[in-house]
């Protein structure tokens, strides 16, 4: 078949959907190819949706998008083996519309998004895997799929195929991912009645809580855990760097099992039925691990381009924003009837640099290394913090001053003052 | 079954409502069992149903009848005799040369005519390829309800209706279905789900003959040939008295030899769970369970089988179940007779030896 | 030749979970698929199309989402797809379903006479195997269930020869068109859709018929009203009260465990050794 499209988008995750929607809406002839059975079928996960990025694309998304709960409270826990110390931020402002953050179930959200994409006029083909990019010299002119008669052509190919983009690798746009640049996250969804969730987390109908966790739950590995409240389920998961898993010889599954057994977490899940278990990679290499993002006839968006802010657990918003920028780049060139050459597509890079996307990516560029080279963040500190809290809060006749001294001593014993200062400084530098 | 389970539950819970049977249907009386036979042999499911039908008829206080349809001859009458021995009070016999082989058209007409003429309130058939083919078209012709693949049949005494229970939603749940204001109430039951009743050779009954009223040229479909299955070497699970089954816990196809070894010593059939069949370790005919065979042997040995509901429904009517599983919490221990918590790879050979010795001493004793 | 294939969209029962407390089905996230048994019939139809030339129309009754099932059929190579959808059908059992489908097929006939109707052997949700025979009766088609292979089709004589699975063997049957066939599972394998057909499926303007369009005037024959069978209760299978007697012995050696088991078992079931000996002989 010699059908030619203005653009082919590979992948129907948030980035691919954003790109396909934006281009189709502008009247371009768009083909979107997804290897899953339906969009979201490979992405069955509870997650946080940041409204802003989606609003830019579909302003009225709140009308019919499958949103679970809007978040009114954020907790941060640092866990020891038996305890946790943490902060809670809850604000009535979060309860004012339009809400800023929601929990979503990706399988349903992606499906909804895709319906909008199709309504905008893009042609979606599922259960079809793009096996290769078709090249004319250095230029990408189409894609080869795994089906009979499966070559399709387009002026531009947008790679939105997620973390571990095999296509980008095959085409040489992207080096092999290194285990130190990707996290492996596992998670489960546990079903609980809506009312149980609301009373357990002290929230009303439609309101949600997020708990971010760090500390000994990752057993010294670089990573974090999380718990989200959905409408009638909880998403619980943990992610650590692939390189750490390799080294520590702990399976992600075991890690999650131990985490669920933590005395602070277990009662939150009690009585729930585990529905599904999924594992997924997250590209966390940050700015330094980013590939070339465009070239002759192609662009990379979303996870495929390492657009993830691991510290703030942002990914889908970057995916949608990069997808939109890529699409707007194509639309602008089409309007001016300019070819999709690397030189012309450089607009895309420019848009990224000018926006929060690259600014954030750059800001946190040193984070991965700092955490990597210092596992005290995941072992020693949580223990010390928890012990300190325990010491202070136990009323046992010892005066507070002595307690403080003991705490200081224990900190110094476990980690030299110099080391402590150094870590603090590095953290500050990384966040700054 | 009704789609109601899938959408919303029916508005009125039918079982509870006070119910008046349409007076036109009041004349429908008695329980019928269709006696299925092929090539001169009655299908055992017919007698299993006869046993079940007996209970229903007794509860209702009505007669139990067998329905025998086939080519004229001594054979058909012999099936009637058997029906009496297994519990029937009477038999409806329809003989015609066009019914020598099963074909949908004459059998549908024949059974429909019989129902219209003698008006039973309940009609049971085996859920076999023949029974399902016939039941589906007879129910449509009679415009009545049919519940397929039942696992339990009861009478709801409050309104004298048949409460037929069957698995639904991939076997994860059971549902009970009633056909209140239609007669007859039809149901099919899979072979081996019901137990075989005791045969009583002294019983007899009356035969009511009825003619079909069709000639060969009326019938569009012709049987050109019948190719009997070559049963040699083919597994005959449903009627085996001893079955040794293996599940995914056997880990590797090579290990399945341990199952075969024990089966050989016992003269048993080999069964398996669905994952094992799907992995190609044994042939499809050996699958026990909801989408495989229903079995009810005297002894069922399950090694490395978790006891998922879809497997269980196919075998939990076995007299004695021995389960070998390394996980003390495996669901199979919830319904097995004996359990050994341990590694099947070491337990099976030991069990094989123990049975071999026991058999040897038994022989000496004789 | 015109072939109609009836397909149903069903929840993938392998992924259905029952809520442990409420005993209700947890449908959330359970994907809907084309009833797997229907694919054997659809593939058989497509093979007839390949060999003899035919128009293949797929027909489905179900909620609007069922369109996905029909598109899938188009992607495999079906020519036309009709979704019969109406709130009035809710609660239909097999008798009411076969009534609705038979009416729709009569409507399809108005456009082009139908020679063969295919249905699945059974569904994985209803699992009754009744709808196919029901349609055949209502349309007065020759009924051929559990077909393992279609041997020959003579379009001039309008004769078809096929193998039908019987309990103890295979019947070789010959009959006349029009007929209704249900295929046995495992008798063929669904093809992999081509890219052009994927495009066609994505773009295909699906026909949606409500009850009027499907030619149904008598609403007492459809939906809950038209369904003789009533689900009076749905419940989880009861656990047997008896738990297995766990065999144990001091040494925990497999050999001793096995001997302990046999001793216990033969004491409690004294007839068993004889039964085993009988089978063994
Ligand atoms: C455990 C976990 C928790 C997360 N939590 C959050 C969160 O709370 N908030 C947040 O914003 N982000 C979160 N993220 C990150 C977020 O999920 C990703 O950044 C986002 O999904 C990236 O979108 P994408 O479209 O680039 O890639 P994806 O969503 O991965 O989509 C890629 C698509 O391409 C398809 N595809 C791949 N290869 C091919 C091929 N060859 N041919 C055809 N199709 C192909 C895939 O099937 C897939 O559908 C989380 C990630 C994980 C793993
Ligand atoms: C619609 C539908 C129909 C189905 N129909 C059927 C059917 O007809 N028949 C059927 O069987 N299934 C059927 N299934 C599948 C069924 O749900 C289960 O998945 C299946 O029965 C599990 O098979 P298993 O016990 O072999 O495997 P698992 O469930 O994986 O169990 C393996 C067991 O082996 C144990 N084990 C592991 N290692 C050892 C060892 N070394 N020694 C001893 N024990 C060990 C484990 O503890 C575990 O309990 C159906 C499912 C669906 C959805
Ligand atoms: N709603 C429906 N729409 C189309 N075909 C159906 C429908 N229900 C049943 N069928 C057909 O009838 C066959 C048998 O279904 P069942 O009697 O429910 O087991 C199915 O395999 C389908 O081919």
């Amino acid at each position: 078949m010699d059908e030619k499209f203005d653009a082919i988008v590979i992948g129907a995750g948030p980035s691919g959907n954003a790109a396909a929607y934006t281009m189709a809406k502008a009247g371009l002839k768009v083909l979107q190819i997804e290897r899953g059975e339906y969009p979201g079928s490979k992405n069955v996960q509870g997650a946080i949706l940041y409204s802003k990025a989606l609003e830019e694309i579909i302003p009225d998304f709140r009308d019919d998008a499958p949103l679970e709960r809007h978040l009114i409270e954020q907790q941060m826990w640092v866990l020891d083996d038996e305890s946790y110390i943490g902060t809670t931020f809850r604000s009535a402002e979060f309860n004012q519309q339009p809400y800023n953050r929601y929990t979503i179930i990706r399988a349903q959200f992606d499906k909804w998004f895709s319906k909008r994409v199709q309504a905008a006029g893009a042609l979606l083909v599922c259960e079809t895997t793009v096996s290769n990019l078709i090249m004319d010299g250095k230029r990408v002119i189409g894609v080869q799929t795994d089906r009979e008669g499966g070559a399709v052509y387009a002026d531009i190919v947008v790679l939105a195929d997620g973390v571990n983009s095999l296509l980008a690798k095959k085409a040489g746009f992207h080096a092999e991912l290194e285990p130190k640049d990707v996290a492996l996250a596992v998670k489960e969804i546990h079903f609980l009645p809506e009312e149980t969730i609301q009373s357990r987390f002290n929230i009303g109908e439609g309101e949600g809580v997020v708990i971010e966790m760090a500390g000994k739950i990752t057993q010294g590995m670089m990573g974090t855990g999380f718990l989200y409240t959905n409408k009638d389920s909880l998403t619980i998961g943990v992610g650590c760097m692939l390189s750490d898993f390799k080294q520590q010889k702990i399976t992600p599954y075991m890690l999650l099992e131990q985490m669920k057994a933590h005395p602070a977490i277990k009662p939150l899940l009690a009585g729930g039925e585990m529905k599904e278990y999924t594992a997924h990679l997250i590209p966390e290499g940050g700015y330094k691990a980013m590939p070339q993002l465009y070239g002759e006839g192609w662009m990379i968006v979303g996870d495929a381009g390492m657009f993830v802010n691991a510290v703030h657990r942002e990914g889908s918003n970057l995916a949608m924003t990069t997808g939109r920028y890529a699409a707007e780049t194509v639309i602008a060139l089409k309007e001016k009837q300019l070819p999709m050459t690397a030189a012309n597509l450089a607009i895309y890079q420019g848009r990224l640099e000018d926006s929060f996307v690259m600014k954030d990516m750059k800001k946190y560029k040193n984070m991965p290394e700092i955490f990597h080279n210092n596992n005290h963040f995941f072992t020693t500190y949580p223990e010390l913090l928890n012990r300190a809290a325990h010491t202070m809060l136990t009323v046992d006749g010892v005066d507070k001053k002595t307690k403080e001294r003991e705490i200081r001593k224990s900190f110094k014993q476990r980690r030299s003052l110099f080391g402590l200062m150094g870590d603090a400084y590095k953290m500050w530098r990384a966040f700054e | 079954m009704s789609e109601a389970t899938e959408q919303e539950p029916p508005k009125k819970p039918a079982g509870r409502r006070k119910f008046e049977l349409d007076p036109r249907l009041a004349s429908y009386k008695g329980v019928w069992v269709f006696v299925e036979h092929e090539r001169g042999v009655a299908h055992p499911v017919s007698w299993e149903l006869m046993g079940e039908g007996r209970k229903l008829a007794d509860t209702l206080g009505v007669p139990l009848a067998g329905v025998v349809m086939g080519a004229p001859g001594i054979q058909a009458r012999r099936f009637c005799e058997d029906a009496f021995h297994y519990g029937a009070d009477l038999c409806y016999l329809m003989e015609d040369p066009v019914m020598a082989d099963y074909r949908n058209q004459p059998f549908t007409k024949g059974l429909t005519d019989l129902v219209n003429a003698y008006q039973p309130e309940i009609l049971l058939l085996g859920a076999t390829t023949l029974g399902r083919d016939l039941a589906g078209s007879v129910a449509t012709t009679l415009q009545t309800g049919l519940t397929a693949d039942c696992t339990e049949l009861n009478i709801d005494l409050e309104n004298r209706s048949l409460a037929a229970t069957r698995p639904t939603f991939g076997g994860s749940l059971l549902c009970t279905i009633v056909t209140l204001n239609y007669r007859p109430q039809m149901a099919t039951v899979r072979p081996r789900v019901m137990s075989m009743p005791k045969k009583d050779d002294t019983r007899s009954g009356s035969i009511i003959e009825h003619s079909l009223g069709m000639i060969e040229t009326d019938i569009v479909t012709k049987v050109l040939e019948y190719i009997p299955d070559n049963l040699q070497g083919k597994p005959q699970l449903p009627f085996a008295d001893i079955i040794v089954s293996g599940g995914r816990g056997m880990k590797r196809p090579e290990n399945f030899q341990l199952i075969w070894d024990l089966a050989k010593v016992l003269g048993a059939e080999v069964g398996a769970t669905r994952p094992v069949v799907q992995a190609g370790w044994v042939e499809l005919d050996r699958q026990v369970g909801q989408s495989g065979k229903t079995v009810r042997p005297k002894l069922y040995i399950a090694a490395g089988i978790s006891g998922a509901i879809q497997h269980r429904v196919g075998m939990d009517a076995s007299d004695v179940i021995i389960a070998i599983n390394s996980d003390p919490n495996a669901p199979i221990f919830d319904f097995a007779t004996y359990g050994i918590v341990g590694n099947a790879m070491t337990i099976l050979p030991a069990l094989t030896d123990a049975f071999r010795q026991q058999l040897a001493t038994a022989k000496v004793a004789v | 030749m015109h072939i109609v294939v009836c397909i149903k969209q069903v929840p993938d029962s392998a992924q259905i979970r029952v809520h442990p407390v409420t005993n209700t089905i947890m449908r959330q996230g359970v994907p809907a698929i084309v009833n797997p048994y229907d694919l054997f019939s659809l593939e058989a139809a497509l093979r007839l199309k390949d060999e003899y030339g035919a128009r293949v129309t797929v027909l489905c009754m179900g909620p609007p989402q069922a369109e996905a099932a029909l598109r899938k059929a188009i992607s495999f190579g079906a020519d036309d797809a009709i979704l019969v959808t109406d709130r009035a059908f809710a609660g239909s059992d097999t008798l009411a379903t076969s009534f609705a489908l038979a009416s729709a097929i009569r409507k399809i006939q108005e456009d082009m006479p139908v020679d063969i109707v295919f249905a699945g052997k059974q569904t994985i949700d209803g699992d009754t195997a009744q709808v196919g025979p029901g349609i055949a009766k209502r349309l007065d088609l020759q009924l051929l269930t559990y077909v393992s292979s279609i041997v020959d089709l003579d379009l001039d004589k309008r004769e078809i020869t096929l193998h039908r699975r019987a309990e103890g063997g295979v019947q070789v049957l010959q009959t006349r068109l029009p007929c209704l066939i249900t295929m046995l599972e495992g008798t063929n394998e669904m093809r992999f859709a081509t890219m052009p057909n994927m495009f066609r499926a994505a773009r295909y303007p699906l026909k949606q018929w409500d009850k009027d369009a499907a030619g149904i005037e008598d609403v007492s024959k459809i939906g809950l009203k038209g369904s003789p069978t009533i689900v009076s209760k749905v419940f989880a299978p009861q656990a047997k009260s008896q738990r297995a007697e766990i065999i144990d012995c001091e040494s925990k050696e497999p050999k001793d465990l096995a001997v302990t088991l046999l001793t216990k078992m033969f004491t409690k079931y004294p007839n068993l050794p004889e039964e085993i000996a009988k089978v063994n002989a």
Side-chain angles (χ1 to χ4, degrees):
Chain A
M1 149 160 309
D2 274 317
E3 213 172 314
K4 194 172 168 236
F5 293 82
D6 291 328
I8 294 173
V9 177
I10 309 168
S15 66
N17 281 339
Y21 178 86
T22 309
M23 289 190 285
K25 197 106 211 289
L28 300 192
K29 188 177 171 193
V30 179
L31 171 67
Q32 191 180 24
I33 303 175
E34 165 60 47
R35 80 178 154 192
E37 214 177 309
Y38 54 87
S41 59
K42 305 240 153 141
N43 279 318
V44 228
Q45 48 189 268
I48 307 292
L49 173 77
Y50 307 92
S51 305
K52 186 86 177 86
L54 183 54
E55 238 164 23
E56 302 272 351
I57 301 162
I58 305 181
D60 63 350
F61 78 91
R62 289 182 181 85
D63 292 351
D64 57 351
L67 306 168
E68 295 283 310
R69 290 173 181 274
H70 67 270
L71 297 177
I72 62 157
E73 179 177 312
Q74 170 103 22
Q75 302 186 13
M76 299 279 288
W77 291 8
V78 179
L79 294 102
D80 189 4
D81 287 329
E82 289 87 34
S83 55
Y84 76 86
I85 179 167
T87 59
T88 301
F89 183 67
R90 181 176 184 140
S91 168
E93 273 178 43
F94 287 148
N95 243 339
Q96 271 154 32
Q97 287 179 343
Y99 307 126
N100 179 254
R101 295 186 305 162
Y102 296 90
T103 46
I104 53 168
I105 306 264
R106 276 287 299 277
Q108 285 148 29
F109 177 79
D110 286 8
K111 235 190 208 167
W112 164 84
F113 201 167
S114 174
K115 281 236 168 69
R116 288 297 198 100
V117 172
Q118 292 171 68
L123 192 68
L124 169 70
V125 171
C126 290
E127 284 178 283
T128 305
T129 305
V130 173
S131 42
N132 263 313
L133 299 177
I134 303 175
M135 313 285 291
D136 178 10
K138 282 190 123 130
R139 232 167 70 78
V140 174
I141 55 167
V143 303
Q144 180 65 47
T145 67
D146 58 347
R147 292 188 182 274
E148 193 191 317
V152 217
Y153 299 90
D155 295 333
I156 177 93
V157 173
V158 179
L159 283 82
D161 54 342
V163 59
N164 208 13
S165 168
L166 294 173
L167 292 170
K169 259 184 277 175
K170 258 193 194 168
F173 305 155
H174 205 308
E176 197 67 43
L177 277 183
E178 289 188 45
K180 73 172 177 51
D181 291 336
V182 276
L184 177 60
V186 292
K187 65 161 113 50
E188 292 177 354
I189 293 194
H190 290 248
F191 276 85
L192 276 172
E194 214 175 317
E195 307 76 51
T196 310
I197 294 178
Q198 278 152 209
S199 64
R200 204 169 274 182
F201 290 85
N202 187 26
I203 46 179
E205 212 184 312
E207 300 172 345
V209 171
V210 166
I211 306 176
E212 298 279 353
M213 305 172 199
K216 292 190 79 174
I217 43 165
T218 56
Q219 303 188 1
M221 300 187 286
M222 170 174 167
T224 52
F226 52 88
L227 191 152
Y228 304 147
T229 53
N230 306 315
K231 196 167 191 317
D232 56 0
S233 62
L234 301 175
T235 302
I236 180 160
V238 59
C240 291
M241 299 312 288
L242 201 55
S243 48
D244 286 355
F245 275 126
K246 276 194 168 160
Q247 210 175 16
Q248 302 260 352
K249 302 208 164 45
I250 300 175
T251 66
Y253 180 70
M254 275 165 53
L255 199 62
L256 185 55
E257 284 302 304
Q258 286 169 12
M259 178 173 153
K260 287 191 302 185
H262 190 282
I265 298 172
K266 200 170 167 189
L268 295 178
L269 300 174
E273 152 130 348
M274 205 265 270
K275 176 71 190 306
E276 60 193 29
Y277 170 83
T278 44
H280 203 274
L281 294 175
I282 310 181
E284 294 198 346
Y287 182 72
K288 291 183 178 167
M290 287 177 79
Q292 173 69 26
L293 296 169
Y294 63 96
E296 300 292 333
W298 59 272
M299 279 186 280
I300 299 185
V301 298
D303 276 10
M306 277 266 172
F307 288 107
V308 166
N309 181 339
V311 174
H312 290 274
R313 207 180 287 287
E314 290 175 26
S316 61
N317 58 332
L318 299 176
M320 289 190 270
T321 306
T322 53
R324 173 166 66 87
Y325 286 166
E328 287 168 356
T329 304
V330 174
I331 296 166
L333 293 182
K334 277 270 163 193
E335 265 171 12
K336 295 187 198 135
Q337 297 188 324
L338 292 172
M340 304 290 158
T341 58
N344 289 335
L345 291 170
I347 306 174
Y348 173 51
Q349 182 89 32
R351 298 275 317 258
L352 293 171
E353 300 285 349
D354 289 344
S355 71
F356 78 99
V357 175
M358 279 307 194
K359 287 181 185 155
D360 281 358
M361 292 303 293
K362 282 182 188 162
K363 174 166 174 207
Y364 295 110
K365 65 175 188 247
N366 291 323
M367 287 302 291
E369 279 162 21
I370 291 172
F371 283 125
H372 256 302
N373 298 332
N374 191 338
N375 69 359
H376 291 292
F377 286 113
F378 303 99
T379 49
T380 319
Y381 296 157
E383 209 178 300
L384 291 174
L385 278 172
N386 276 279
R387 196 168 309 153
H390 187 256
T391 308
M392 280 311 275
L393 294 174
T394 309
V395 178
D396 53 4
V398 179
D399 66 286
K400 298 293 184 270
K401 200 152 187 189
T402 311
K403 285 191 176 200
E404 274 173 20
R405 213 165 32 237
E406 265 171 22
I407 293 169
R408 253 200 316 274
K409 208 166 82 200
S410 72
F411 269 72
K412 269 205 305 211
Q413 257 166 12
R414 297 293 297 272
R415 183 107 173 93
S416 73
L417 203 56
F418 185 70
L420 274 175
M421 300 265 289
D423 288 348
Y425 177 72
K426 275 187 261 176
M427 276 286 261
W428 174 69
R429 287 281 306 168
F431 274 104
E432 189 228 13
Chain B
M1 66 158 243
S2 165
E3 299 262 320
T5 45
E6 265 188 72
Q7 272 126 24
E8 54 224 36
K11 295 275 154 13
K12 299 164 215 148
R16 232 148 288 144
R17 186 168 37 136
K18 183 82 194 107
F19 166 77
E20 294 281 344
L21 186 67
D22 188 328
R24 279 176 299 134
L25 299 174
S27 55
Y28 282 76
K29 279 269 147 41
V31 178
W32 285 15
V33 171
F34 177 80
V35 177
E36 171 177 342
H37 57 91
E38 194 178 61
R39 306 273 132 177
V41 187
H43 198 297
V45 72
S46 313
W47 311 136
E48 293 163 11
L49 283 175
M50 203 61 84
E52 202 58 25
R54 188 68 260 169
K55 293 181 212 157
L56 299 178
D58 289 347
T59 311
L60 287 166
V62 296
L64 171 69
V67 179
V68 177
M69 300 163 75
I74 174 127
Q75 197 56 262
R77 298 201 173 247
R78 206 169 282 150
F79 291 140
C80 292
E81 289 305 317
D82 284 340
F84 299 140
H85 297 160
Y86 282 109
D89 300 311
L90 72 162
C91 269
Y92 295 94
L93 175 63
M94 185 178 269
E95 292 175 302
D96 197 299
V98 304
M99 294 198 293
D101 279 293
Y102 173 74
R103 282 178 294 176
N104 181 271
Q105 197 185 354
F107 274 72
T108 301
K109 175 174 175 355
L111 189 52
T112 311
D113 286 354
L114 283 173
V115 167
N116 285 330
Y118 303 100
Q119 307 193 321
E121 57 195 307
I122 291 175
L123 171 56
L124 307 177
L125 298 92
T128 59
T129 56
L130 189 160
R132 282 184 144 202
D133 184 280
L134 181 59
S137 32
V138 168
T140 313
T141 315
L142 294 168
Q143 296 281 306
T144 190
L146 162 59
T147 309
D149 264 9
C150 301
T151 51
E152 204 186 316
L153 300 173
N154 286 304
I155 298 294
D156 177 353
L157 276 175
E158 205 174 315
N159 45 37
R160 285 179 66 93
S161 68
L162 178 70
T165 298
R166 68 183 306 265
T168 182
F169 284 111
S172 348
L173 287 178
L174 297 171
C175 65
T176 301
I177 292 177
V178 293
T179 306
L180 290 179
N181 224 350
Y182 297 80
R183 291 294 180 270
Q185 308 162 80
M186 292 179 61
T188 64
V189 178
R190 275 166 52 151
R192 304 305 272 158
V193 167
M194 305 298 179
S195 60
M196 184 64 90
K198 279 239 154 17
K199 197 171 173 186
D200 177 359
D201 291 341
T202 63
R203 279 185 59 98
S204 68
S206 53
I207 294 179
I208 298 169
E209 293 187 49
H210 197 97
S211 61
L212 172 65
M214 247 183 156
I215 51 168
E216 185 56 40
T217 44
D218 292 339
I219 302 167
V220 181
T221 301
K222 310 288 172 203
V223 180
L224 301 186
E225 201 188 334
Y226 184 91
I227 310 163
D229 290 335
N230 178 6
L231 295 179
Q232 205 100 58
K234 272 273 168 69
Q236 288 302 312
L237 245 47
F239 296 96
D241 280 327
I242 308 176
I243 295 175
V244 187
S245 278
R248 188 147 53 183
M250 294 306 294
K251 301 271 164 48
R252 277 189 295 278
E254 306 88 83
N255 295 341
F256 224 76
Q257 189 55 44
L258 300 175
I259 301 278
W260 287 102
D261 291 347
L262 176 54
K264 179 134 186 265
V265 165
L266 290 170
E269 275 292 357
V270 166
T273 61
R274 188 162 84 162
V276 164
V277 167
Q278 284 180 339
W281 299 0
V282 296
E283 59 262 58
L284 182 66
D285 284 347
R286 296 197 182 276
Q287 182 176 321
V288 173
Q290 189 202 334
S291 44
K293 301 278 188 292
T294 304
V295 301
R296 48 189 315 140
K298 305 218 158 64
L299 177 61
Y300 189 93
I301 303 176
I305 292 178
S306 61
I309 183 68
Q310 291 89 355
H311 186 75
R312 178 180 167 178
V313 293
M315 47 67 81
D316 74 353
S318 309
D319 291 346
V320 177
I321 299 171
I322 300 176
I324 305 166
N325 196 306
S326 50
D327 172 8
N329 296 322
I332 191 140
F333 291 131
D334 291 338
F335 59 94
T337 329
Y338 295 103
I340 297 185
V341 179
N343 183 350
M345 272 38 101
T346 59
I347 305 284
L348 275 173
L351 203 55
T352 307
D353 277 344
F355 272 118
R356 189 183 289 126
Q357 272 179 15
Q358 183 270 333
L359 275 162
T361 42
K363 274 216 187 88
V364 172
V366 172
Chain C
M1 178 168 50
H2 190 186
I3 303 175
V4 171
V5 185
C6 296
I7 63 171
K8 184 178 182 190
Q9 192 184 48
V10 296
D12 186 352
S13 61
Q15 302 196 36
I16 286 183
R17 300 280 174 282
V18 177
H19 195 285
V21 184
T22 59
N23 271 338
T24 49
I25 297 281
M26 309 210 300
R27 273 188 215 94
Q28 198 179 27
V30 177
I33 55 173
V34 179
N35 175 33
Y37 291 108
D38 297 350
L39 294 177
F40 301 110
S41 286
L42 178 57
E43 175 63 21
L46 293 172
R47 287 186 187 182
L48 290 180
K49 173 181 164 173
D50 292 344
E51 198 170 340
Y52 302 96
R55 175 163 139 200
V56 175
T57 301
V58 279
L59 172 64
C60 175
M61 171 176 130
Q65 306 87 281
E67 89 159 74
L70 288 169
R71 283 198 197 280
K72 189 136 221 178
I74 296 272
S75 79
F76 291 131
D79 299 284
D80 285 307
I82 294 163
L83 176 64
V84 180
T85 186
D86 200 311
R87 291 208 67 91
F89 294 127
S92 295
D93 75 353
T94 52
L95 194 71
T97 302
S98 67
F99 176 79
L101 290 173
S103 304
I105 294 171
R106 268 193 214 103
K107 274 280 164 194
I108 294 172
Q109 301 253 36
E110 289 176 6
D111 195 25
M112 181 176 174
V114 174
D115 304 285
I116 304 177
V117 176
F118 277 97
K121 186 192 98 175
Q122 68 198 67
T123 49
I124 59 167
D125 60 342
D127 211 355
T128 69
Q130 283 159 217
V131 172
I135 296 172
K137 276 302 125 195
R138 292 174 187 284
L139 295 175
D140 203 16
L141 305 172
Q142 290 305 306
L143 174 62
L144 304 148
T145 53
Y146 305 97
V147 171
S148 53
S149 77
I150 297 174
V151 184
D152 188 46
L153 177 63
D154 187 330
L155 281 173
D156 296 327
K157 287 205 206 129
R158 297 185 61 72
E159 259 175 15
I160 188 165
T161 310
L162 34 75
H163 287 180
R164 172 177 185 276
R165 178 82 248 172
E167 284 300 301
V170 171
Q171 288 184 319
V172 183
L173 298 177
Q174 187 171 65
T175 194
R176 274 203 308 273
L177 304 183
C179 63
L180 184 140
I181 297 174
T182 76
M183 293 298 294
L184 204 60
E185 70 269 27
T187 45
N188 58 40
E189 204 175 318
M190 181 44 80
R191 59 197 60 196
F192 194 54
T194 65
M195 199 66 182
N197 275 338
M198 291 300 285
F199 284 160
R200 208 177 97 76
R203 288 177 173 143
Y204 180 80
L206 204 83
K207 293 189 192 77
Q208 287 212 3
W209 287 0
D210 60 8
K211 65 172 178 26
D212 300 324
I216 296 165
E217 281 149 22
D218 187 355
V219 286
S220 73
K221 291 258 168 72
I222 55 170
L224 268 180
K225 245 198 201 144
S227 303
T229 58
I230 302 167
V231 178
S232 70
K233 76 175 179 201
V234 178
F235 56 101
Q238 282 300 303
K240 238 192 214 171
S241 47
Q242 153 225 2
R243 239 189 91 83
E245 178 178 348
I246 300 293
I247 303 299
D248 206 356
C249 63
E250 220 160 286
S251 74
K252 312 238 185 266
E253 284 297 316
K255 186 170 148 266
D256 299 333
L257 284 170
V259 173
T260 314
L261 167 70
L262 292 205
T263 314
K264 284 203 167 171
M265 183 167 71
F266 291 149
T267 313
K268 183 148 176 219
Y269 299 92
N271 291 337
L272 208 52
E274 202 181 307
E275 300 280 0
I276 295 175
K278 214 164 70 195
V279 172
N280 210 255

